[in-house]
Amino acid sequence: MTTTVEPVLHESRAYTAHDHTTCINSALERATVICQEKGQRLTALRKQVLELVWQSHKPVGAYDVLAMLSKGQERPAAPPTVYRALDFLLEQGLIHRIASLNAFIGCSCPDTPHAGVFLICEKCRTTRELDSHDNIQNLKNAADSTGFKTSKTLIEISGLCPCCQEEASDE
Amino acid sequence: MTTTVEPVLHESRAYTAHDHTTCINSALERATVICQEKGQRLTALRKQVLELVWQSHKPVGAYDVLAMLSKGQERPAAPPTVYRALDFLLEQGLIHRIASLNAFIGCSCPDTPHAGVFLICEKCRTTRELDSHDNIQNLKNAADSTGFKTSKTLIEISGLCPCCQEEASDE
DNA sequence: TCAAGAATGTTATATTATATCCTTCCACAT
DNA sequence: ATGTGGAAGGATATAATATAACATTCTTGA
């Protein structure tokens, strides 16, 4: 007998219309708590950058954040400002980096550190995080069985999200 | 009962001393045949770039290739020259791109198109390609079971190769 | 209150990648 | 053999991403 492992979607709302302010607020609140518990300083800037990353369910480039951050400011922010904030958020596990897009996305389950599996829509870029712990473990095992010692896994899956598949079939 | 799937290492020599000219030559020969069969033109430039990518079992940056290519030339090559050759080699499946390093590595089994699983040593950067077809398939299934339609998978595993683990324990 | 370290600001530059236009080369039909 | 069309490569410029290095400000705790 085989145990079927159901993949769990961390951010199940990514594809459907929803009150996105809830996503943002809950992300900010959780971040606040997490940083407090760890004795890390979620400064105003870092919080703002986190909020900007969470503006959508699509990965955001550092320079997009930079532009949003600078909007309306007399003196625009400089790249290191953003990269440092992003680095902090990465370290705290509050965001993930999507290597194939050179972009960043809010982590939908920052409470426990984890390697993400990302489903990236090639059409609309909406990106969903999959909790595929067993698959990751299997990969790790495969790697380690060759004598390798795994420290990080990076898994990015590109394709079409359900919405964009529908649109494609309409045409 | 469970079937244990043994991972297959495509380039088993990556970590051990070996006559690397054999690796290069065999890669070039296979590339020649593959392109001939597909009616693709493996021009002198493309062949040279492939050879340069194969100089080691570590991913090589486009600008590294550029520098090697320009070495000794009166007029150095320009970036598009290299990127075009690399794009061609990627399309033909003769090399892979390692997104986490913005670098390229020769494909050790270019005869059949495939998604790679890469074991990247964080210390010496030696990178080995793992044939982990079943794991990839499982991941795809997990993704597709959520309504996603997978087209590409990117899997990069960082850690320590056997050699660098030994060195670390020596210290 | 002051000192130390963390965070941010500022300037400059490194690194990676692409757009565009022009020239050359090659395969093929004539 | 020769012209032609499209692919390949050369050349120039610039876009996009990321970091180095140093100055200033802020925070926290002694």
Side-chain angles (χ1 to χ4, degrees):
Chain A
M1 182 186 159
T2 317
T3 308
T4 305
V5 179
E6 280 297 306
V8 177
L9 282 174
H10 282 138
E11 188 44 77
S12 51
R13 290 188 292 180
Y15 300 137
T16 49
H18 63 282
D19 179 10
H20 189 58
T21 57
T22 309
C23 299
I24 298 174
N25 291 336
S26 112
L28 293 179
E29 278 165 32
R30 275 185 294 172
T32 304
V33 172
I34 288 166
C35 287
Q36 208 151 40
E37 284 171 353
K38 293 201 276 186
Q40 296 291 332
R41 292 169 56 192
L42 187 64
T43 63
L45 176 66
R46 289 165 173 173
K47 202 164 186 171
Q48 198 185 351
V49 169
L50 180 59
E51 184 174 356
L52 290 171
V53 170
W54 265 103
Q55 280 313 305
S56 73
H57 291 280
K58 309 174 201 278
V60 185
Y63 279 75
D64 296 334
V65 173
L66 190 58
M68 293 188 276
L69 200 59
S70 302
K71 208 170 175 180
Q73 301 301 107
E74 23 184 288
R75 193 172 276 253
T81 298
V82 167
Y83 279 103
R84 281 189 291 230
L86 291 171
D87 285 345
F88 171 85
L89 297 171
L90 283 171
E91 272 165 27
Q92 306 310 319
L94 298 170
I95 62 174
H96 294 285
R97 183 168 194 275
I98 306 297
S100 59
L101 297 176
N102 295 323
F104 303 84
I105 191 161
C107 175
S108 42
C109 45
D111 301 284
T112 52
H114 59 277
V117 171
F118 299 95
L119 309 188
I120 307 165
C121 180
E122 286 164 341
K123 195 166 176 192
C124 70
R125 306 227 318 176
T126 295
T127 295
R128 213 167 172 178
E129 191 175 347
L130 203 65
D131 180 359
S132 216
H133 179 269
D134 292 351
N135 284 319
I136 292 179
Q137 198 54 52
N138 289 338
L139 261 174
K140 257 190 179 166
N141 291 342
D144 292 355
S145 74
T146 72
F148 194 83
K149 193 173 170 195
T150 297
S151 70
K152 270 186 305 187
T153 60
L154 186 165
I155 305 179
E156 298 175 15
I157 301 178
S158 303
L160 282 181
C161 75
C163 311
C164 291
Q165 285 171 55
E166 282 176 27
E167 284 176 31
S169 66
D170 287 350
E171 284 156 22
Chain B
M1 181 185 159
T2 317
T3 308
T4 306
V5 180
E6 282 297 306
V8 177
L9 282 173
H10 282 138
E11 187 45 74
S12 50
R13 291 187 291 179
Y15 302 136
T16 49
H18 62 283
D19 178 11
H20 189 58
T21 55
T22 308
C23 298
I24 298 173
N25 290 336
S26 113
L28 294 179
E29 278 165 32
R30 276 185 294 172
T32 304
V33 172
I34 288 166
C35 286
Q36 208 151 41
E37 284 171 351
K38 294 202 276 184
Q40 296 292 331
R41 292 168 58 190
L42 187 64
T43 62
L45 176 66
R46 289 165 173 174
K47 202 165 187 171
Q48 198 185 351
V49 169
L50 180 58
E51 184 173 357
L52 291 171
V53 170
W54 265 102
Q55 281 311 304
S56 73
H57 291 279
K58 308 173 201 282
V60 186
Y63 279 75
D64 296 333
V65 173
L66 190 58
M68 295 188 275
L69 199 60
S70 301
K71 209 171 174 180
Q73 301 301 108
E74 24 183 289
R75 192 171 276 252
T81 298
V82 167
Y83 280 103
R84 281 188 291 229
L86 291 171
D87 285 345
F88 171 84
L89 297 171
L90 283 172
E91 272 165 28
Q92 306 309 320
L94 298 170
I95 62 174
H96 293 285
R97 183 167 193 274
I98 306 297
S100 58
L101 298 176
N102 293 323
F104 304 84
I105 192 161
C107 175
S108 42
C109 46
D111 301 284
T112 52
H114 59 276
V117 172
F118 299 94
L119 308 187
I120 306 165
C121 181
E122 285 164 343
K123 196 168 177 193
C124 70
R125 304 228 317 176
T126 295
T127 296
R128 212 165 174 180
E129 191 175 347
L130 203 65
D131 181 1
S132 217
H133 180 269
D134 292 353
N135 283 318
I136 293 178
Q137 197 55 52
N138 288 338
L139 261 174
K140 255 189 182 170
N141 291 342
D144 292 356
S145 75
T146 73
F148 194 82
K149 193 174 170 193
T150 297
S151 70
K152 271 185 303 189
T153 60
L154 187 164
I155 304 179
E156 297 175 16
I157 301 178
S158 302
L160 283 181
C161 74
C163 312
C164 291
Q165 286 171 53
E166 281 176 26
E167 284 176 30
S169 65
D170 288 349
E171 286 155 20

